[in-house]
Structures are given as structure tokens and as C-alpha cells.
Amino acid sequence: MNASAPRPHADADELLRAELTELLPPPPVPELTAERNQHLRHAVLRTALATGDGATVRPVRALRPRQGLRLGWIVAPVAACAVVAGVAVLAPQDGPTGSPGRVTAGQSASPEAVRILSGAALAAASAPAPAVRPGEYVYVRSLVAHAGRDASGGPATLPPAHRREVWLSVDGKGPGLLREPGAADTELGGEAPVYELDGPGATPRKTTMATSPPSVTNPTHAYVAALPTDPDVLLRLIQDQTRTGEGDADQRAFTAIGTLLAETWAPPKVTAALYGAAARIPGVTVLPSAKDAAGREGVAVARTAHGEQTQWIFDRTTSAFLGERTVLTEATSAGRAGTVLGVSAVLAKGAAAAPGELPKG
């Protein structure tokens, strides 16, 4: 009996809604602006990077990396300032977001750092693929400066940035070339000459010492092009190949990725995966403002370990990788906190026919 009772109020509400539907049709749904569409694309990629689902990211292309730690080690004596081609300036206003000088391991990468790195991955995935053929050389032009100390000791000082050009064989079989102003050209790679003795009293016999096989710390273009495009798999590979060395394991991995970004020219998907791998390293934070060796200002992601902070600087608009900086975050014999140990700026990458020749165009 209750079920069949009339519902005057309910019927009246339904009638009113029907009349309003006729009088007020649903408003049109506006199309997404280009800016909003890009924001949503970035959000999707950020979510994929944060959840570690490398299979869902599937970037189209990636951005540039830097042909090997090998280059940085040859160009700048690591003992001078413990940095390669990317180094940092930490003025007080640019200071790290954690306690200065402490190893930031154990903390997850900050959400803001993940956002910046996912944006860089998206930009890298949309970049043109390297057009390098077998037998050619990868050419990288940059500005670099590395801090040094005079013979009497004292704090490290950073000289003005100078131009640096390198040519590296695609497959690593041919010798490369390093060219810097005020210095003779330096041959890179190749087989080092050595002398062997067949026995006591024998005449030394000239031979060559084979170079190390390609790796994350000794990359060729062909090796980098074949790196995994899944960020988790790639990070494990980098961690495995940087297992030994100074600093904590996470910092070694972060430094190795930065070197690949600055001194190699990787395919788009590999570069995007490098950014995804970096987003998974604990302790990565963000600096709101930083400048590369060319004076270009941008936003930076950074990691601090053992009193030094390494920064990667990105263009605010395009998310392109600009360069690196390394800076002291605590006082040492090399200087007070804020002392710049080095800085770099990537200016151009291309394919050259031979060492010493510039890329066409």
C-alpha cells in the first residue's frame, strides 16, 4: 500500500527538471587549448614516471646525451674538482633544498623534480632522431669551465668558460678528437701504445693496449643507441655499471646519466628513458633558478652528496637540457660553501664526416 502511495513532490521535481532541460540545453564543451593539452600530456607522463610503469610511457623520441664520461675525464682532471663537463654554482639563493653537505640518499625524488624530469622526457621524445651513419663521428660543441687551485693551495677558482669541441667515432673503432683553444688537439679513444717483453733481457716490442669495451662509463654512439628504453631496466643497468667508485651509489648513477645527457647524442626514446631513470633516483630535488656556462637561465634538478651538488639545467619553455653545474654545499679546503667547481653549456650536436670537420649546415 505504501509502495503505491502518490509522490507529489517527486513528480513535481521530475517535471521541473524536464522543463529546465528543454529550456537550458547542456552548455558546449570547449576544445582544449594547446597549452592545456600539453599540460595534460605532461601530467600523463609524470604519472607514468612516478609509478614506474616504463611500458606505458612509450616516448616518441628523446633528446641529446653526451658521449661518455670518457670525454669529461679526459678534458678535466677529475681530481681537480670531482666533476666532469657539468658543474654547479650554488649562490646562497640557489642553495639546495635539503641540508647542505648531506647525502640526500634515502629520500624519494621530490614531486617537483619528477615533474621537471617528466617534462624533459616528453620534450626529448619529440625531438628529431640523430642522423648519424656508420663511419661518421658524433660532434658535440659546448662551453666549459673547471675550477682549479694554484700550487700554493688555497681555494679553487673558476676561470672563464671556454669553447670545447669533440668528435667521437660512432662505433668507437676510430680515434676521436678533442679541440680546445690554447691547447694542441688531443686524440680520444683508439689503442694506446705499450711495450711488451717476451722474456728477461728481450728487446721491448711495441704493441697496443686494447681499449675497454663500450659501457655506460665508456660509451659509443652505437652503444648508447642500443640502451634499454624502459627507465627501470636502464637505471638498473647504470647502477650495475657504476657499482664501484667514489660517492654513494645513487650519486654515481645520477652523475653517469648527466654525462650521457651532455656528451652523447642518443636516440629520442633512450634520452627520454634517461630522464625517467633519473626521476627514480632518491634525493633528487629542484632549484628554481640556475645558469649554465653560456649564461642561459633555467630551472634545475639537483642532487647533493658529500658536500657537493650536481645540477642539470633545463630551458623553462622547451624543457631542453642546457648544461650542468657543480658547487660546494659546505666549506672544504677547496673553498667555502657556494664555491663553483665547474659549469658547462651544450651548444650543438651533429654528425661529422671526420674528426676536425664540422657537421653540414
Side-chain angles (χ1 to χ4, degrees):
M1 184 169 183
N2 290 336
S4 60
R7 299 184 301 163
H9 295 294
D11 293 341
D13 289 342
E14 290 175 5
L15 180 60
L16 178 61
R17 279 195 293 268
E19 291 177 350
L20 288 175
T21 300
E22 294 178 0
L23 294 174
L24 301 173
V29 178
E31 294 184 1
L32 291 176
T33 64
E35 180 179 341
R36 178 59 177 164
N37 183 56
Q38 183 182 41
H39 174 75
L40 292 176
R41 291 177 64 201
H42 282 213
V44 171
L45 183 56
R46 284 199 301 274
T47 302
L49 289 170
T51 57
D53 186 3
T56 63
V57 176
R58 306 197 58 105
V60 183
R61 293 179 191 151
L63 200 54
R64 57 210 180 196
R66 127 181 138 198
Q67 195 133 5
L69 292 150
R70 165 174 67 182
L71 284 188
W73 290 347
I74 291 174
V75 183
V78 177
C81 39
V83 347
V84 211
V87 213
V89 176
L90 267 205
Q93 65 268 27
D94 293 335
T97 54
S99 300
R102 295 191 178 183
V103 178
T104 54
Q107 309 168 11
S108 300
S110 72
E112 184 68 7
V114 173
R115 184 185 70 81
I116 297 298
L117 289 168
S118 62
L122 187 63
S126 302
V132 188
R133 295 177 297 183
E136 291 187 326
Y137 287 74
V138 170
Y139 169 81
V140 181
R141 183 170 74 247
S142 58
L143 291 177
V144 299
H146 301 283
R149 305 170 71 178
D150 56 35
S152 61
T157 57
L158 190 72
H162 64 271
R163 180 166 167 158
R164 174 177 175 273
E165 297 173 287
V166 292
W167 289 260
L168 293 174
S169 170
V170 168
D171 55 14
K173 295 180 180 179
L177 180 68
L178 164 66
R179 178 171 291 169
E180 294 180 285
D185 289 352
T186 301
E187 184 177 292
L188 301 178
E191 297 182 338
V194 296
Y195 290 86
E196 292 183 353
L197 291 176
D198 295 326
T203 301
R205 176 169 50 85
K206 186 176 181 178
T207 182
T208 57
M209 181 174 61
T211 57
S212 301
S215 65
V216 167
T217 57
N218 183 39
T220 63
H221 180 76
Y223 179 85
V224 172
L227 285 174
T229 56
D230 181 299
D232 290 305
V233 175
L234 180 57
L235 179 58
R236 287 194 294 269
L237 174 66
I238 293 171
Q239 290 172 330
D240 182 64
Q241 294 194 10
T242 58
R243 193 171 300 280
T244 59
E246 298 181 356
D248 67 279
D250 289 327
Q251 187 68 13
R252 290 196 300 270
F254 187 78
T255 301
I257 293 173
T259 300
L260 290 170
L261 291 170
E263 293 207 344
T264 67
W265 194 20
K269 290 184 179 181
V270 173
T271 303
L274 287 169
Y275 290 126
R280 289 158 168 74
I281 296 178
V284 180
T285 58
V286 168
L287 294 180
S289 179
K291 289 184 179 181
D292 68 7
R296 298 175 298 189
E297 191 273 343
V299 63
V301 297
R303 195 175 190 282
T304 304
H306 304 295
E308 292 182 9
Q309 185 179 73
T310 300
Q311 306 168 8
W312 302 345
I313 307 164
F314 297 93
D315 185 279
R316 294 183 184 278
T317 303
T318 66
S319 294
F321 181 88
L322 299 179
E324 294 181 87
R325 301 192 310 172
T326 299
V327 65
L328 289 177
T329 57
E330 61 184 26
T332 71
S333 60
R336 61 185 181 181
T339 298
V340 181
L341 298 180
V343 62
S344 72
V346 179
L347 302 180
K349 295 184 180 182
E357 294 187 14
L358 295 178
K360 294 181 180 180

